[in-house]
Amino acid sequence: MKKKNLIILGIDTSCDDTCAAIINNHTVLSNIVRTQKIHQKFGGVVPEVASSLHLQYIVSVVNNAILKAKIQTNAINAIAFTNYPGLNGSLLVGSAFAKSLAMCWQIPLISVNHIQAHILSHFLEGVHSTPPNFPFISLSISGGHTNIIKVKNFLEIKILVSYNDISLGNLFDNIAKILGFKYPGGRIIDKYAQLGNSKTFFFNKPKGKNLNFSFSGLQTNFLDLLKNQMKKNREFIYQNINDICASFQETVFEILFDKLNQTVKKTGIKNIVFSGGISSNLGLKKFFSEKSIENNWKTFFPQLEFSTDNAAMIALVGKLKYERNLFDKFYIKH
């Protein structure tokens, strides 16, 4: 089903950001994100608190998205919402609200895979002068997932590599907490890393039999190094924070590259698309930009606005599914 102007309302409540957006085809008319800063004092996202705040924010967030887009509600052709993955309580709020609106307005309802939406955010207007060509490999890295995915076309994806223990985002949060940084600490680590020498400290890299990522060993090794050094010098972290962060990040990037490089060799696909919150890491961009030149890869990084959770990417997948008549029933589980 194709229309000249296809207007989609997207809703995302997968974690702790309440998001709503309006797109017209691939053009973003509005993209509203209400961040729940209260989780900083807990050192991580509290699911019950997140779902409760989504209930408080969602009406105003959706209303603001519609007002900023300068459209009437009867111009909206469909509502797309994040169905999975995410926190159950948070997802339930977004799905229930989307279902209620779609039922009230008598327009189609479209469920969206959050990971797939992150990947396809590269196809929003203005993100790239020329978007990635299919097929491509996506390195999807965030607080909730760490995957290498083969993307055959807009709606056909296959996870090739996953993770065995903790996601990369959780690793960054845990390391940040060890170093005494406030949550979320990933960007703080990256900030200090830009000033450090990445060759100062050595951390072990996991040696698994399969391609799946494993970060728990690196986390333990990192903690052991700090404990041993602080027995000798209580000011060790303070005096070496730049080099510690740089060495940690470099180890992570080398692990990512090793898995990605093996995947490229197996598939023969050299178009590499980064997605998820960690794809905004400055050190990662520099590292893989250099590696792409060395290995003749073509790499794509999302804009910051679309690397973290947002609803514009949800609306885009909704638009793509609408064109293929892939609608959902109102009784679909969240």
Side-chain angles (χ1 to χ4, degrees), residues 267-287:
T267 62
I269 300 172
K270 292 190 174 185
N271 288 329
I272 313 297
V273 171
F274 292 81
S275 62
I278 300 176
S279 62
S280 64
N281 183 289
L282 296 177
L284 179 135
K285 288 181 178 180
K286 182 176 183 295
F287 179 92

PDB file of all heavy atoms in Angstrom, residues 267-287:
ATOM      1  N   THR A 267      31.203 -13.847   5.172  1.00  0.00           N
ATOM      2  CA  THR A 267      30.077 -13.436   4.320  1.00  0.00           C
ATOM      3  C   THR A 267      30.517 -12.745   3.031  1.00  0.00           C
ATOM      4  O   THR A 267      29.770 -12.723   2.051  1.00  0.00           O
ATOM      5  CB  THR A 267      29.157 -12.463   5.084  1.00  0.00           C
ATOM      6  OG1 THR A 267      29.900 -11.280   5.430  1.00  0.00           O
ATOM      7  CG2 THR A 267      28.618 -13.125   6.348  1.00  0.00           C
ATOM      8  N   GLY A 268      31.713 -12.152   3.056  1.00  0.00           N
ATOM      9  CA  GLY A 268      32.175 -11.390   1.893  1.00  0.00           C
ATOM     10  C   GLY A 268      31.534 -10.027   1.788  1.00  0.00           C
ATOM     11  O   GLY A 268      31.734  -9.311   0.798  1.00  0.00           O
ATOM     12  N   ILE A 269      30.783  -9.620   2.807  1.00  0.00           N
ATOM     13  CA  ILE A 269      30.093  -8.323   2.804  1.00  0.00           C
ATOM     14  C   ILE A 269      30.962  -7.279   3.501  1.00  0.00           C
ATOM     15  O   ILE A 269      31.342  -7.455   4.664  1.00  0.00           O
ATOM     16  CB  ILE A 269      28.728  -8.430   3.511  1.00  0.00           C
ATOM     17  CG1 ILE A 269      27.838  -9.443   2.796  1.00  0.00           C
ATOM     18  CG2 ILE A 269      28.042  -7.059   3.564  1.00  0.00           C
ATOM     19  CD1 ILE A 269      26.543  -9.756   3.536  1.00  0.00           C
ATOM     20  N   LYS A 270      31.257  -6.185   2.802  1.00  0.00           N
ATOM     21  CA  LYS A 270      32.146  -5.165   3.351  1.00  0.00           C
ATOM     22  C   LYS A 270      31.453  -3.833   3.644  1.00  0.00           C
ATOM     23  O   LYS A 270      32.117  -2.846   3.954  1.00  0.00           O
ATOM     24  CB  LYS A 270      33.323  -4.945   2.404  1.00  0.00           C
ATOM     25  CG  LYS A 270      34.279  -6.137   2.328  1.00  0.00           C
ATOM     26  CD  LYS A 270      35.556  -5.790   1.583  1.00  0.00           C
ATOM     27  CE  LYS A 270      36.555  -6.925   1.640  1.00  0.00           C
ATOM     28  NZ  LYS A 270      37.860  -6.560   1.024  1.00  0.00           N
ATOM     29  N   ASN A 271      30.131  -3.802   3.526  1.00  0.00           N
ATOM     30  CA  ASN A 271      29.368  -2.634   3.950  1.00  0.00           C
ATOM     31  C   ASN A 271      29.029  -2.821   5.425  1.00  0.00           C
ATOM     32  O   ASN A 271      28.313  -3.758   5.782  1.00  0.00           O
ATOM     33  CB  ASN A 271      28.079  -2.492   3.138  1.00  0.00           C
ATOM     34  CG  ASN A 271      28.342  -2.058   1.716  1.00  0.00           C
ATOM     35  OD1 ASN A 271      29.291  -1.344   1.443  1.00  0.00           O
ATOM     36  ND2 ASN A 271      27.507  -2.513   0.794  1.00  0.00           N
ATOM     37  N   ILE A 272      29.549  -1.955   6.286  1.00  0.00           N
ATOM     38  CA  ILE A 272      29.386  -2.105   7.729  1.00  0.00           C
ATOM     39  C   ILE A 272      28.591  -0.927   8.286  1.00  0.00           C
ATOM     40  O   ILE A 272      28.989   0.226   8.138  1.00  0.00           O
ATOM     41  CB  ILE A 272      30.747  -2.184   8.457  1.00  0.00           C
ATOM     42  CG1 ILE A 272      31.678  -3.174   7.752  1.00  0.00           C
ATOM     43  CG2 ILE A 272      30.544  -2.529   9.921  1.00  0.00           C
ATOM     44  CD1 ILE A 272      31.195  -4.601   7.741  1.00  0.00           C
ATOM     45  N   VAL A 273      27.482  -1.247   8.942  1.00  0.00           N
ATOM     46  CA  VAL A 273      26.592  -0.230   9.503  1.00  0.00           C
ATOM     47  C   VAL A 273      26.577  -0.356  11.024  1.00  0.00           C
ATOM     48  O   VAL A 273      26.297  -1.435  11.554  1.00  0.00           O
ATOM     49  CB  VAL A 273      25.166  -0.392   8.936  1.00  0.00           C
ATOM     50  CG1 VAL A 273      24.188   0.508   9.680  1.00  0.00           C
ATOM     51  CG2 VAL A 273      25.143  -0.102   7.444  1.00  0.00           C
ATOM     52  N   PHE A 274      26.881   0.725  11.717  1.00  0.00           N
ATOM     53  CA  PHE A 274      26.874   0.731  13.179  1.00  0.00           C
ATOM     54  C   PHE A 274      25.543   1.269  13.685  1.00  0.00           C
ATOM     55  O   PHE A 274      24.998   2.220  13.125  1.00  0.00           O
ATOM     56  CB  PHE A 274      28.028   1.587  13.711  1.00  0.00           C
ATOM     57  CG  PHE A 274      29.392   0.995  13.445  1.00  0.00           C
ATOM     58  CD1 PHE A 274      29.994   1.150  12.208  1.00  0.00           C
ATOM     59  CD2 PHE A 274      30.050   0.268  14.419  1.00  0.00           C
ATOM     60  CE1 PHE A 274      31.249   0.604  11.943  1.00  0.00           C
ATOM     61  CE2 PHE A 274      31.301  -0.280  14.179  1.00  0.00           C
ATOM     62  CZ  PHE A 274      31.898  -0.126  12.939  1.00  0.00           C
ATOM     63  N   SER A 275      25.040   0.663  14.750  1.00  0.00           N
ATOM     64  CA  SER A 275      23.763   1.122  15.305  1.00  0.00           C
ATOM     65  C   SER A 275      23.742   0.908  16.811  1.00  0.00           C
ATOM     66  O   SER A 275      24.515   0.117  17.357  1.00  0.00           O
ATOM     67  CB  SER A 275      22.597   0.368  14.649  1.00  0.00           C
ATOM     68  OG  SER A 275      22.690  -1.027  14.908  1.00  0.00           O
ATOM     69  N   GLY A 276      22.862   1.641  17.491  1.00  0.00           N
ATOM     70  CA  GLY A 276      22.776   1.556  18.942  1.00  0.00           C
ATOM     71  C   GLY A 276      23.547   2.681  19.617  1.00  0.00           C
ATOM     72  O   GLY A 276      24.381   3.351  18.999  1.00  0.00           O
ATOM     73  N   GLY A 277      23.286   2.876  20.900  1.00  0.00           N
ATOM     74  CA  GLY A 277      23.836   4.007  21.626  1.00  0.00           C
ATOM     75  C   GLY A 277      25.347   4.099  21.632  1.00  0.00           C
ATOM     76  O   GLY A 277      25.909   5.195  21.569  1.00  0.00           O
ATOM     77  N   ILE A 278      26.038   2.958  21.697  1.00  0.00           N
ATOM     78  CA  ILE A 278      27.496   2.991  21.780  1.00  0.00           C
ATOM     79  C   ILE A 278      28.127   3.382  20.438  1.00  0.00           C
ATOM     80  O   ILE A 278      29.297   3.759  20.386  1.00  0.00           O
ATOM     81  CB  ILE A 278      28.033   1.632  22.273  1.00  0.00           C
ATOM     82  CG1 ILE A 278      27.467   1.332  23.660  1.00  0.00           C
ATOM     83  CG2 ILE A 278      29.562   1.616  22.360  1.00  0.00           C
ATOM     84  CD1 ILE A 278      27.845  -0.018  24.209  1.00  0.00           C
ATOM     85  N   SER A 279      27.361   3.353  19.371  1.00  0.00           N
ATOM     86  CA  SER A 279      27.898   3.755  18.067  1.00  0.00           C
ATOM     87  C   SER A 279      28.219   5.250  18.025  1.00  0.00           C
ATOM     88  O   SER A 279      28.858   5.722  17.092  1.00  0.00           O
ATOM     89  CB  SER A 279      26.919   3.400  16.949  1.00  0.00           C
ATOM     90  OG  SER A 279      25.691   4.095  17.102  1.00  0.00           O
ATOM     91  N   SER A 280      27.791   6.003  19.052  1.00  0.00           N
ATOM     92  CA  SER A 280      28.111   7.430  19.120  1.00  0.00           C
ATOM     93  C   SER A 280      29.456   7.679  19.806  1.00  0.00           C
ATOM     94  O   SER A 280      29.914   8.821  19.875  1.00  0.00           O
ATOM     95  CB  SER A 280      27.014   8.183  19.878  1.00  0.00           C
ATOM     96  OG  SER A 280      26.945   7.757  21.237  1.00  0.00           O
ATOM     97  N   ASN A 281      30.088   6.622  20.313  1.00  0.00           N
ATOM     98  CA  ASN A 281      31.381   6.744  20.995  1.00  0.00           C
ATOM     99  C   ASN A 281      32.444   7.284  20.035  1.00  0.00           C
ATOM    100  O   ASN A 281      32.673   6.722  18.968  1.00  0.00           O
ATOM    101  CB  ASN A 281      31.787   5.359  21.522  1.00  0.00           C
ATOM    102  CG  ASN A 281      33.075   5.364  22.315  1.00  0.00           C
ATOM    103  OD1 ASN A 281      34.154   5.547  21.756  1.00  0.00           O
ATOM    104  ND2 ASN A 281      32.970   5.116  23.602  1.00  0.00           N
ATOM    105  N   LEU A 282      33.096   8.375  20.409  1.00  0.00           N
ATOM    106  CA  LEU A 282      34.070   9.030  19.531  1.00  0.00           C
ATOM    107  C   LEU A 282      35.282   8.147  19.262  1.00  0.00           C
ATOM    108  O   LEU A 282      35.796   8.101  18.148  1.00  0.00           O
ATOM    109  CB  LEU A 282      34.513  10.361  20.143  1.00  0.00           C
ATOM    110  CG  LEU A 282      33.437  11.431  20.295  1.00  0.00           C
ATOM    111  CD1 LEU A 282      34.016  12.673  20.974  1.00  0.00           C
ATOM    112  CD2 LEU A 282      32.838  11.797  18.939  1.00  0.00           C
ATOM    113  N   GLY A 283      35.738   7.457  20.297  1.00  0.00           N
ATOM    114  CA  GLY A 283      36.876   6.567  20.122  1.00  0.00           C
ATOM    115  C   GLY A 283      36.572   5.433  19.170  1.00  0.00           C
ATOM    116  O   GLY A 283      37.410   5.057  18.339  1.00  0.00           O
ATOM    117  N   LEU A 284      35.351   4.896  19.270  1.00  0.00           N
ATOM    118  CA  LEU A 284      34.938   3.813  18.382  1.00  0.00           C
ATOM    119  C   LEU A 284      34.891   4.282  16.930  1.00  0.00           C
ATOM    120  O   LEU A 284      35.335   3.578  16.020  1.00  0.00           O
ATOM    121  CB  LEU A 284      33.576   3.276  18.819  1.00  0.00           C
ATOM    122  CG  LEU A 284      32.991   2.137  17.979  1.00  0.00           C
ATOM    123  CD1 LEU A 284      32.429   1.045  18.881  1.00  0.00           C
ATOM    124  CD2 LEU A 284      31.900   2.636  17.037  1.00  0.00           C
ATOM    125  N   LYS A 285      34.361   5.481  16.700  1.00  0.00           N
ATOM    126  CA  LYS A 285      34.287   6.020  15.341  1.00  0.00           C
ATOM    127  C   LYS A 285      35.680   6.170  14.730  1.00  0.00           C
ATOM    128  O   LYS A 285      35.908   5.818  13.571  1.00  0.00           O
ATOM    129  CB  LYS A 285      33.564   7.373  15.342  1.00  0.00           C
ATOM    130  CG  LYS A 285      32.076   7.287  15.595  1.00  0.00           C
ATOM    131  CD  LYS A 285      31.451   8.673  15.543  1.00  0.00           C
ATOM    132  CE  LYS A 285      29.948   8.617  15.743  1.00  0.00           C
ATOM    133  NZ  LYS A 285      29.316   9.959  15.687  1.00  0.00           N
ATOM    134  N   LYS A 286      36.603   6.688  15.509  1.00  0.00           N
ATOM    135  CA  LYS A 286      37.973   6.886  15.033  1.00  0.00           C
ATOM    136  C   LYS A 286      38.639   5.542  14.739  1.00  0.00           C
ATOM    137  O   LYS A 286      39.269   5.364  13.691  1.00  0.00           O
ATOM    138  CB  LYS A 286      38.782   7.657  16.073  1.00  0.00           C
ATOM    139  CG  LYS A 286      40.221   7.968  15.669  1.00  0.00           C
ATOM    140  CD  LYS A 286      40.909   8.810  16.732  1.00  0.00           C
ATOM    141  CE  LYS A 286      42.330   9.198  16.313  1.00  0.00           C
ATOM    142  NZ  LYS A 286      43.221   8.044  16.185  1.00  0.00           N
ATOM    143  N   PHE A 287      38.486   4.594  15.665  1.00  0.00           N
ATOM    144  CA  PHE A 287      39.100   3.276  15.524  1.00  0.00           C
ATOM    145  C   PHE A 287      38.614   2.575  14.257  1.00  0.00           C
ATOM    146  O   PHE A 287      39.406   2.085  13.445  1.00  0.00           O
ATOM    147  CB  PHE A 287      38.783   2.424  16.755  1.00  0.00           C
ATOM    148  CG  PHE A 287      39.344   1.028  16.718  1.00  0.00           C
ATOM    149  CD1 PHE A 287      40.598   0.753  17.258  1.00  0.00           C
ATOM    150  CD2 PHE A 287      38.619  -0.023  16.168  1.00  0.00           C
ATOM    151  CE1 PHE A 287      41.121  -0.537  17.233  1.00  0.00           C
ATOM    152  CE2 PHE A 287      39.124  -1.306  16.142  1.00  0.00           C
ATOM    153  CZ  PHE A 287      40.383  -1.572  16.678  1.00  0.00           C
TER     154      PHE A 287
END
